[in-house]
Amino acid sequence: MAGKLTLEELRAAVASGEIDTVLAAQIDMQGRLMGKRFHAEFFCESAYKETHSCNYLQATDMEMNTVEGFKATSWQAGYGDYTMKPDLSTLRRIPWLEGTALVLCDMLDHHTHEEVPHSPRAILKKQVARLEAMGMKAFMATELEFFLFKQSYEEAHAQGYRNLDVISPYNEDYHIFQTTKEEGVMRAIRNGLNGADIPVENSKGEADAGQEEINVRYAEALTMADRHVLIKNGCKEIAWAKGHAISFLAKWHYDYAGNSSHVHQSLWSLDGTPLFFDPDAKYGMSELMQNYVAGLLAHADEITGFLAPYINSYKRFVAGTFAPTKSVWSMDNRTAGFRVCGDGTKAVRVECRIGGADLNPYLAMAALLAAGIDGIEKKMALEPEFKGDAYGGTDVREIPATLREATTALDGSTMLRSAFGDEVIDHYVHAARWEQIEYDRRVTDWEVNRGFERA
């Protein structure tokens, strides 16, 4: 694949003067890239083994403020270092940045060199290892939606992020003429990502004015999560270079559609047999797949906090907007929280439609896998499929309406505490409750009375 590099290929490119900078990046709690820009010669000599960063990067809010109350780090403990260990299998060129390569890093305890349990890559790797011990691997794909604006990031900031102009004046869902007008940005995104070892399938206009979607090829879970964070960062950097801003906010404006990140999932044997497919079963859904989907449904409330991690995330769940409001499964039905696709074929899979584009893919995928594994281990029976318009469904499971509800379910989840560990769940519950406290502290009664909600 274009863009992929080995360490020896990097050294050759550095020696020829082709590459002079290497980005070493970790994934923070919000799914963003944080790290350092190395002079390439130094990276090849030394930093490819390890580097260091302040441990507060795994314990901040969205504004990168230090947050009191985390057990993992604090002012009292002095905010020491974690070790960043480059995963050289992720080394790649970044075509849209001149002379630049990038590598993703695992986070290790500075003293023990054990993985930091609450770091996003470690959380997903733990669930991948559980599957491997069961003789299985997960393939996943995330579909990312975002809004493209006429303004630059700097202009949007100067306007207080108010009165922004989306790139197009009307709904552009699958609209070829409208998306032709935006090709200056979207073509650069497709080609840039493809050149960075991220195999792009397509881009398209989405379900509102100025809304875009980027789709890349499915991959094993960890690889897909790595692609996801690089896609988001790459889209922002490429748009910025062309004088535009992009938003992955789940609901940037009440009058516009939300931004989703649908997560497609299937399980395969380690030797490549599709385990979700049974040609003799209804819809081709094997018993294992039925158990897996039953697990997703049984733990839907508990995992929503990792699929919708912010207060704004819950503003996306509006009937009639292609965002789900019910945690039900249905066959090829975009009103359901869980949609089964590819029925009757080896590509049969379940698509979780609950997550927004603001999710951290490592946390979301890990939570989905943990719920599905629990369904398999307990051989959970799958409830009957929902048919019809799920928005109007009665006596069916609602998606949690607020971050507060989802956090309570997450905090009380014995399944996730068993799968992730108490330390990890407590860490992310504390982060969610801090966001709620800050929202309640800053939102005035006047704002609440004019339609803002304390939730």
Side-chain angles (χ1 to χ4, degrees), residues 162-331:
R162 301 293 195 275
N163 303 314
L164 299 181
D165 300 308
V166 293
I167 198 72
S168 68
Y170 51 85
N171 188 320
E172 60 182 86
D173 199 14
Y174 294 95
H175 202 297
I176 296 300
F177 176 45
Q178 179 56 48
T179 51
T180 295
K181 302 175 189 178
E182 299 150 19
E183 265 290 82
V185 176
M186 296 309 298
R187 182 171 183 266
I189 286 175
R190 291 194 308 273
N191 289 337
L193 294 176
N194 205 68
D197 190 35
I198 300 172
V200 174
E201 292 185 345
N202 61 73
S203 65
K204 62 179 283 290
E206 246 307 308
D208 213 331
Q211 192 176 30
E212 317 284 349
E213 179 176 294
I214 189 82
N215 292 299
V216 304
R217 195 173 307 156
Y218 69 88
E220 292 188 36
L222 183 62
T223 299
M224 188 64 235
D226 291 341
R227 288 176 181 173
H228 181 113
V229 295
L230 292 168
I231 292 164
K232 288 184 74 171
N233 193 71
C235 286
K236 292 175 184 178
E237 289 182 339
I238 292 167
W240 169 81
K242 293 186 171 293
H244 295 281
I246 275 175
S247 176
F248 290 94
L249 199 64
K251 191 76 170 178
W252 85 273
H253 193 292
Y254 181 80
D255 293 334
Y256 285 78
N259 285 320
S260 71
S261 178
H262 304 149
V263 183
H264 292 252
Q265 309 150 67
S266 63
L267 298 183
W268 294 61
S269 69
L270 298 180
D271 63 3
T273 301
L275 299 178
F276 273 12
F277 179 57
D278 178 351
D280 298 322
K282 185 178 181 181
Y283 301 135
M285 295 173 64
S286 68
E287 182 179 359
L288 184 99
M289 180 179 182
Q290 294 179 48
N291 296 156
Y292 183 94
V293 176
L296 298 182
L297 294 169
H299 300 295
D301 287 0
E302 301 158 52
I303 64 177
T304 295
F306 286 129
L307 295 165
Y310 308 110
I311 287 168
N312 176 267
S313 306
Y314 295 82
K315 299 182 184 297
R316 177 175 152 265
F317 300 133
V318 177
T321 64
F322 287 99
T325 59
K326 305 293 196 306
S327 293
V328 295
W329 82 276
S330 189
M331 180 57 59

